[in-house]
Amino acid sequence: MAAGIKTYSLCTYLILSLTACSVMASSSSSEAIKGGYWPSWAKNLPPYSIETSFFTHIYYAFLIPNNVTFKFDIGYTTAMELLNFTSTLRAKKPAVKTLFSIGGAAEGPIFFGRMVSSPSMRKNFIDSSIEVARKFGFDGIDLDWEYPQTPKDMENLAYLLYEWRLEVQQEAKTTKRPPLLLTAAVYFSANLFLSGPYRSYPATSITKNLDWINVMNYDYHGSWEPSITGAHSALFDSKTNISTSYGLGSWIKSGVPKSKLIMGLPLYGKTWLLKDSKSHGVGSPAIDVGPGDQGVLTFAEIEQFNRDHKAKVEYDLESVSMYSVAGTTWIGYDDTLSVTMKIAYARALGIRGYFFWAVHGDYKWKISKRASQLWCV
Ligand SMILES: *[C@@H]1O[C@H](CO)[C@@H](O)[C@H](O)[C@H]1NC(C)=O
Ligand SMILES: *[C@@H]1O[C@H](CO)[C@@H](O)[C@H](O)[C@H]1NC(C)=O
Ligand SMILES: *[C@@H]1O[C@H](CO)[C@@H](O)[C@H](O)[C@H]1NC(C)=O
């Protein structure tokens, strides 16, 4: 029942936001953000193949500084790749802005903890990141620390952001160039409450020093829960707070302005093997993760899988997400329908935009295109 009501109001949001498009078209102070991360290992999608009309910002993922000096040592191959990335995307019609993202899920959280705890390491990191951005022609820098581990890490992150912004402003003044953008990819919720000590992001420093944050509204469930299927990017969850509606709500409550909040959308899904093919909802018993590396498949791979196996595709009202079933294989993911609903929700909330992890996962730009059409600038 509750799900029915939510879906009804989502439809209302959708209609409201669609009609609002023509009216809102010219407001400029907070241009909509339609971001996408491009993993440098995504060999199926070279930068020149990115359909830039569906995006405003593309992030190069990832660069990692030296673990002793915290400066960036960029080798020849990477240098060529960075130059190709920025020049290709700048030359595209329409052009998009480019940022490089530092870190990523594969980089341990301790690494950043060490850097932020030392003022001189922070300075090395900041100066070197600005140098890299300018040298290779990026419009901005993104920090992807997954995740600060302690309240002390959060306090140090606040210092880092203040110092970073100060340096970016100084550099812009000295060089008479537009300041670099500064953004961060953050946890789905403003508070980390699931593991480790309870800790909250430094909302004041974020508000003051970052242009916006990319809220990672995905990976709520996965291979660490092999015995139950899950909607890994659930918009709603009536039983827990592990959902996008809760997460975005917590960010709004933290005081970070809505104009700095960007909703994360996954272009990938999570797979399980069902215990019983007849019990196949979200939250059904499973015996293991399914196909893909640690049970992860891109949206394009899921579309292929669904076609090859004539899978049954269902829309889950409660979580606002899709799942497909073929035999005992179960895949939870997002497609154009669930993304349409989530974008309607985000627009009704009044936040600034959305981003995808990651652009190479889309199938013929289906989802990117729909999202872009729904969120007129
Ligand atoms: C830094 O990286 C090197 C090479 O990957 C590794 O051997 C070393 O243990 C790392 N040092 C620290 C302090 O993490
Ligand atoms: C980028 O690399 C691609 C293929 O590797 C090449 O075709 C293209 O010309 C390069 N673009 C620029 C601007 O360097
Ligand atoms: C969800 O979070 C709120 C506070 O933000 C808390 O009061 C509530 O108990 C939480 N619910 C669950 C199921 O953990």
Side-chain angles (χ1 to χ4, degrees):
M1 279 297 107
I5 292 162
K6 279 169 194 156
T7 307
Y8 171 76
S9 36
L10 271 178
C11 290
T12 317
Y13 296 152
L14 182 58
I15 292 159
L16 287 176
S17 48
L18 283 175
T19 48
C21 280
S22 49
V23 193
M24 287 166 50
S26 65
S27 82
S28 62
S29 74
S30 60
E31 158 221 17
I33 306 299
K34 307 175 182 187
Y37 283 85
W38 179 77
S40 61
W41 59 92
K43 297 305 173 202
N44 66 328
L45 183 75
Y48 61 81
S49 301
I50 297 174
E51 187 44 80
T52 53
S53 53
F54 306 138
F55 301 97
T56 60
H57 296 78
I58 300 286
Y59 297 77
Y60 177 98
F62 293 103
L63 288 182
I64 292 159
N66 180 289
N67 70 357
V68 177
T69 63
F70 292 104
K71 295 181 184 180
F72 293 85
D73 306 323
I74 310 280
Y76 178 79
T77 314
T78 305
M80 289 301 114
E81 190 177 281
L82 295 177
L83 285 172
N84 188 285
F85 180 84
T86 56
S87 54
T88 301
L89 292 175
R90 203 179 317 114
K92 279 247 176 193
K93 289 189 171 54
V96 286
K97 293 214 157 105
T98 55
L99 298 89
F100 69 94
S101 186
I102 304 168
E107 194 53 46
I110 310 300
F111 173 78
F112 287 110
R114 279 199 292 128
M115 182 269 286
V116 295
S117 68
S118 148
S120 68
M121 290 304 150
R122 292 199 299 263
K123 179 153 177 50
N124 277 356
F125 175 81
I126 288 168
D127 291 349
S128 181
S129 70
I130 293 173
E131 205 180 300
V132 168
R134 289 309 193 193
K135 185 166 173 192
F136 296 103
F138 286 94
D139 301 294
I141 311 171
D142 177 60
L143 176 68
D144 187 2
W145 175 1
E146 299 184 21
Y147 298 97
Q149 297 292 292
T150 61
K152 188 75 195 165
D153 276 356
M154 291 297 194
E155 197 183 319
N156 291 335
L157 172 62
Y159 295 137
L160 174 77
L161 301 183
Y162 275 106
E163 293 160 6
W164 215 347
R165 172 58 63 186
L166 200 65
E167 246 1 276
V168 159
Q169 276 168 346
Q170 288 292 349
E171 191 270 350
K173 217 156 120 193
T174 316
T175 61
K176 300 193 165 58
R177 302 175 68 170
L180 292 165
L181 294 166
L182 273 188
T183 67
V186 296
Y187 195 57
F188 82 96
S189 154
N191 312 298
L192 281 87
F193 59 92
L194 285 174
S195 67
Y198 184 90
R199 52 217 190 270
S200 303
Y201 275 95
T204 309
S205 179
I206 286 175
T207 301
K208 201 160 182 319
N209 301 307
L210 293 181
D211 288 285
W212 63 79
I213 52 176
N214 290 338
V215 183
M216 292 188 269
N217 297 117
Y218 40 70
D219 286 341
Y220 303 155
H221 304 283
S223 57
W224 57 94
E225 299 162 329
S227 61
I228 180 168
T229 63
H232 86 92
S233 180
L235 181 55
F236 303 113
D237 184 334
S238 60
K239 293 182 203 71
T240 76
N241 283 337
I242 310 173
S243 67
T244 298
S245 55
Y246 176 82
L248 291 176
S250 77
W251 276 108
I252 291 170
K253 211 186 278 176
S254 80
V256 175
K258 292 176 180 179
S259 60
K260 298 201 171 195
L261 297 179
I262 311 297
M263 174 178 66
L265 294 168
L267 287 172
Y268 65 96
K270 300 280 182 99
T271 72
W272 279 268
L273 296 179
L274 294 168
K275 190 163 174 213
D276 174 355
S277 62
K278 288 194 284 298
S279 172
H280 57 68
V282 169
S284 287
I287 52 167
D288 203 351
V289 298
D293 182 17
Q294 296 184 66
V296 175
L297 292 179
T298 64
F299 175 62
E301 289 167 340
I302 294 164
E303 291 274 275
Q304 183 72 45
F305 178 93
N306 291 348
R307 277 193 307 273
D308 290 351
H309 296 82
K310 300 192 167 46
K312 188 162 70 161
V313 174
E314 302 272 358
Y315 174 64
D316 181 60
L317 277 174
E318 169 73 30
S319 63
V320 186
S321 50
M322 311 304 298
Y323 65 87
S324 68
V325 192
T328 57
T329 301
W330 190 97
I331 310 176
Y333 64 105
D334 279 279
D335 75 358
T336 49
L337 174 58
S338 60
V339 164
T340 297
M341 292 304 190
K342 287 180 177 180
I343 288 205
Y345 182 85
R347 293 213 79 180
L349 264 189
I351 66 172
R352 176 87 172 273
Y354 60 84
F355 76 93
F356 292 106
W357 178 271
V359 292
H360 72 301
D362 207 350
Y363 176 71
K364 297 185 173 173
W365 302 108
K366 243 169 97 171
I367 294 181
S368 310
K369 183 177 179 182
R370 172 69 64 85
S372 173
Q373 285 168 340
L374 286 171
W375 205 308
C376 0
V377 181

